[in-house]
Amino acid sequence: FFPTQPDGRLPSIFVLILLCVTGTYVSSSPGPLEDVVIDRYDIPRVCPREVQTGDFVRYHYNGTFTDGKKFDSSHERGAPFSGQVGLGRLITGLDRGVQGMCVNERRKVTVPPHLAYGSIGAGDVIPADTVLVFDVVLLDIWNTEDKVQTRTLSKPESCKRLVEATDFIRYHYNGTLLNGVPFDSSHSRNGTYDTYVGMGYLIKGMDEGLIGMCVGETRTIIIPPFLAYEEKGYGTVIPSQATLVFEVFMIDLFNPKDDIAVVVKEVPDTCTRKTVVGDYIRYHYNGTFQDGSGFDTSYQRNSTYNTYIGMGYVIQGMDKALQGLCIGEKRRVILPPHMAYGEKGTGDIIPGSAVLVFDIHVIDFHNPKDLIEIKVTSKPKKCNLTSEVDDLIQYRYNCSLMDGTLDHYENAPITTLGANKVIEGLDEGLRGMCVGEKRVVIVPPHLGHGENGAKGVPSSAVLHFELELLDLQKGVPDGYMFVWLGDSPDPLFPAMDLNKDLSVPLEEFTAFINLQVVEGTGRLRPGMDADGIIKDMFNNQDRNGDGKIVAEELKLKVEEDSDKARHEEL
């Protein structure tokens, strides 16, 4: 076991890394030792493997004489012994003494002289015919016939994709030697290990052990030394010929050839239009990684994400995923990193090379070129009079967002069309209606409340109106209080001068105007006090303010600073 050097000193013991084993007892006889005596004083509860002839082992030991005097110790050198069992490369007694050992087992092996260094001894260190006592702890065991071992510890119920060669993966791991001593952990660095599989970026055993894993799976991978770091080891953390044990948790995976993946969750019964490039969309989303951990959500902010589609305002994969959607549709989209934030990720939120999963709910969308949409749902058979600009109307409406929220009901507001009293799209939607008619009007945001929104109306929201026209009073052009519905009397003053006394006081003027309204030849501005309008008209014509109008005062007045004649209702 310890061949001497020419100067009689013991040789150095080199460090190797070994696999788990279970020990066996070797019986002893009373009287002079005929065989090794083994005391298994510390045996691990779990022993998946025991040392057999031909195995390679790595162990620490203290070597003493029977009086307790120490003659050698691998602990003091800081380098465990490595060698092959049963092939004559160890002293016979120790070859027998480690048979059947488990990794982490401790045993005391007493070796008689004839199974140690016999009558010759070992230089000036071990006298002839000396009984040797070795206190051994097994660190590692492996065999050249070993293969990579994998054991799944946990696995998600649904596993739609397995790791294949050329995939790029992100995973966490804890790395230990076979005796449980840790040498590395991605968790301690708070960052996943990211790499291609099956392309030589990993040790051979890890390349093999990762194949077939699911996202969310945890598995143990045991790698023999010749598929790990072999004789070289790795720095000071992985000894030569060390068996490595990895506990791996798969975070996500993708392939550089991947496109976006779309899973449609819910589609509305009616879908008259789908999103295209150039549309502006409002949607809610939950953003997660493939392991289910979230990184962002619009719901938490209580605000939709609003953007143009296909114009580079969002990541490439999302730009593509947002095309072909219906209002109200829900879908899950999976974006590979090369169509998301790539190798760099973004800030502390999204790591490099992360696959992103978005659950999307489309609230609404529109195109900046959209006009209002009108759908008549009910119309009276007789419809001789329809609403138009300047008309005074009374209507009932229910307003909601396209997802059915908001739901604002107004019983019977009154407004003048074309007078900027309501949003532009609603004003347009109320035109051309008969009293009793019902219609649905869809108003895009640029004809609604725009980017600023309004109370209860989000920015850039498409509005859904259900309208019913209750009353209609024909109006007069903006700036006028009265209009003729045909040709005015010519000459006008004699028609106004009802009693033919060549002057028209307020009472006579009022009677004349009311007569025109009754006979349908003239119209006062609706929605205002008729007497007040008529009095204003009278005062406008009574140039000298003497309380009566004469023929001369009906002539047009010309502004001194302009060559444009000022209009008069009459």
Side-chain angles (χ1 to χ4, degrees):
F1 175 54
F2 296 111
T4 58
Q5 298 183 34
D7 60 2
R9 291 182 295 108
L10 289 173
S12 299
I13 307 297
F14 299 95
V15 178
L16 286 170
I17 301 178
L18 322 166
L19 272 168
C20 294
V21 293
T22 7
T24 57
Y25 285 100
V26 178
S27 301
S28 61
S29 305
L33 289 178
E34 297 180 359
D35 204 346
V36 296
V37 176
I38 296 174
D39 176 13
R40 303 181 70 186
Y41 66 88
D42 189 357
I43 304 173
R45 291 184 179 181
V46 179
C47 184
R49 180 174 182 175
E50 298 178 347
V51 175
Q52 298 179 6
T53 299
D55 286 341
F56 288 83
V57 292
R58 182 165 56 88
Y59 56 84
H60 266 304
Y61 69 92
N62 284 316
T64 63
F65 301 120
T66 54
D67 61 0
K69 182 180 179 182
K70 187 182 298 182
F71 63 83
D72 192 20
S73 173
S74 65
H75 295 282
E76 292 178 359
R77 289 193 302 274
F81 175 81
S82 299
Q84 194 172 13
V85 177
L87 299 180
R89 298 183 181 179
L90 310 177
I91 61 172
T92 305
L94 208 45
D95 231 2
R96 296 181 184 181
V98 298
Q99 292 276 352
M101 281 193 81
C102 307
V103 168
N104 285 326
E105 179 181 342
R106 296 176 181 271
R107 60 171 60 173
K108 183 177 289 186
V109 181
T110 304
V111 181
H114 67 279
L115 297 178
Y117 292 97
S119 59
I120 300 176
D124 58 358
V125 177
I126 299 176
D129 298 318
T130 303
V131 175
L132 304 181
V133 179
F134 293 93
D135 198 324
V136 179
V137 55
L138 187 64
L139 305 178
D140 201 345
I141 175 174
W142 61 278
N143 193 287
T144 54
E145 301 298 320
D146 287 348
K147 300 183 182 301
V148 173
Q149 301 175 53
T150 63
R151 181 165 64 93
T152 298
L153 304 179
S154 65
K155 193 172 184 177
E157 293 182 3
S158 175
C159 182
K160 298 180 180 179
R161 180 173 182 175
L162 305 177
V163 174
E164 299 177 0
T166 75
D167 281 345
F168 191 93
I169 62 174
R170 296 174 53 243
Y171 62 92
H172 271 301
Y173 69 90
N174 288 316
T176 65
L177 304 179
L178 196 57
N179 64 335
V181 174
F183 62 81
D184 193 18
S185 173
S186 64
H187 298 281
S188 64
R189 295 190 298 274
N190 197 29
T192 56
Y193 192 84
D194 307 341
T195 185
Y196 286 96
V197 179
M199 298 178 67
Y201 292 98
L202 299 167
I203 56 176
K204 293 178 181 179
M206 184 62 88
D207 251 347
E208 182 180 333
L210 292 168
I211 296 294
M213 286 192 74
C214 301
V215 170
E217 178 180 343
T218 301
R219 70 166 52 169
T220 298
I221 302 173
I222 302 175
I223 303 173
F226 55 88
L227 295 176
Y229 292 99
E230 304 177 294
E231 292 183 3
K232 294 180 179 180
Y234 190 86
T236 59
V237 293
I238 297 178
S240 172
Q241 299 289 26
T243 300
L244 305 183
V245 181
F246 291 91
E247 185 176 290
V248 175
F249 175 63
M250 188 63 59
I251 301 296
D252 68 23
L253 72 100
F254 72 95
N255 194 282
K257 297 179 181 179
D258 285 350
D259 199 350
I260 65 169
V262 176
V263 179
V264 177
K265 298 288 189 178
E266 184 178 321
V267 180
D269 294 334
T270 58
C271 180
T272 58
R273 175 179 173 182
K274 295 186 176 183
T275 53
V276 297
V277 172
D279 284 345
Y280 190 89
I281 187 170
R282 295 173 57 243
Y283 62 95
H284 272 301
Y285 69 89
N286 284 319
T288 63
F289 300 114
Q290 283 201 100
D291 64 354
S293 59
F295 61 83
D296 193 20
T297 173
S298 63
Y299 295 98
Q300 192 174 47
R301 295 189 295 274
N302 196 30
S303 175
T304 57
Y305 191 85
N306 308 338
T307 187
Y308 285 97
I309 299 172
M311 298 176 69
Y313 290 100
V314 292
I315 53 179
Q316 180 187 355
M318 186 61 81
D319 243 352
K320 186 173 182 179
L322 291 174
Q323 298 177 37
L325 287 158
C326 303
I327 289 177
E329 182 173 341
K330 295 180 180 179
R331 62 169 55 175
R332 170 170 287 185
V333 294
I334 303 172
L335 311 183
H338 51 276
M339 301 186 76
Y341 292 98
E343 295 180 1
K344 295 182 178 179
T346 175
D348 297 329
I349 301 173
I350 297 176
S353 301
V355 177
L356 305 183
V357 180
F358 289 93
D359 287 298
I360 295 172
H361 179 204
V362 181
I363 303 302
D364 66 33
F365 65 88
H366 72 280
N367 194 282
K369 298 178 181 179
D370 283 350
L371 304 176
I372 63 170
E373 298 177 31
I374 297 176
K375 179 182 178 182
V376 177
T377 57
S378 177
K379 191 171 184 177
K381 293 181 179 180
K382 186 176 180 180
C383 182
N384 297 325
L385 194 65
T386 59
S387 56
E388 58 185 350
V389 172
D390 298 322
D391 288 350
L392 184 74
I393 64 168
Q394 186 175 25
Y395 63 101
R396 182 182 293 117
Y397 77 90
N398 187 53
C399 177
S400 63
L401 303 179
M402 296 302 289
D403 63 353
T405 58
L406 184 62
D407 200 29
H408 178 72
Y409 176 79
E410 190 74 26
N411 187 30
I414 296 173
T415 191
T416 300
L417 293 179
N420 295 321
K421 302 294 185 183
V422 295
I423 57 174
E424 184 179 351
L426 178 58
D427 198 286
E428 289 185 25
L430 287 166
R431 299 176 194 177
M433 292 185 75
C434 304
V435 172
E437 180 179 339
K438 296 180 181 179
R439 57 173 56 171
V440 172
V441 177
I442 308 298
V443 179
H446 51 276
L447 298 175
H449 291 287
E451 294 182 0
N452 294 328
K455 184 178 180 181
V457 179
S459 169
S460 301
V462 179
L463 300 179
H464 178 280
F465 286 94
E466 296 174 0
L467 304 175
E468 179 183 5
L469 189 61
L470 303 177
D471 188 40
L472 167 62
Q473 298 179 52
K474 300 304 292 183
V476 300
D478 188 34
Y480 286 81
M481 298 291 104
F482 173 88
V483 292
W484 294 102
L485 300 180
D487 293 333
S488 61
D490 188 17
L492 178 58
F493 186 78
M496 289 174 54
D497 187 11
L498 300 178
N499 60 8
K500 307 305 179 186
D501 64 353
L502 301 180
S503 67
V504 179
L506 176 59
E507 294 78 7
E508 190 173 7
F509 182 79
T510 300
F512 171 74
I513 295 298
N514 284 332
L515 180 62
Q516 310 312 307
V517 173
V518 171
E519 292 180 350
T521 57
R523 181 185 301 150
L524 289 168
R525 174 170 289 279
M528 299 183 68
D529 177 52
D531 289 340
I533 292 176
I534 294 172
K535 184 176 181 181
D536 287 343
M537 292 172 62
F538 177 83
N539 290 336
N540 190 42
Q541 299 299 329
D542 182 12
R543 314 292 188 188
N544 58 14
D546 62 356
K548 59 186 177 180
I549 299 172
V550 296
E552 196 65 26
E553 290 177 312
L554 286 180
K555 295 180 180 179
L556 292 177
K557 293 193 282 186
V558 180
E559 300 290 344
E560 295 179 358
D561 59 346
S562 172
D563 59 359
K564 181 179 180 181
R566 176 177 137 185
H567 81 261
E568 307 289 353
E569 271 81 355
L570 300 181

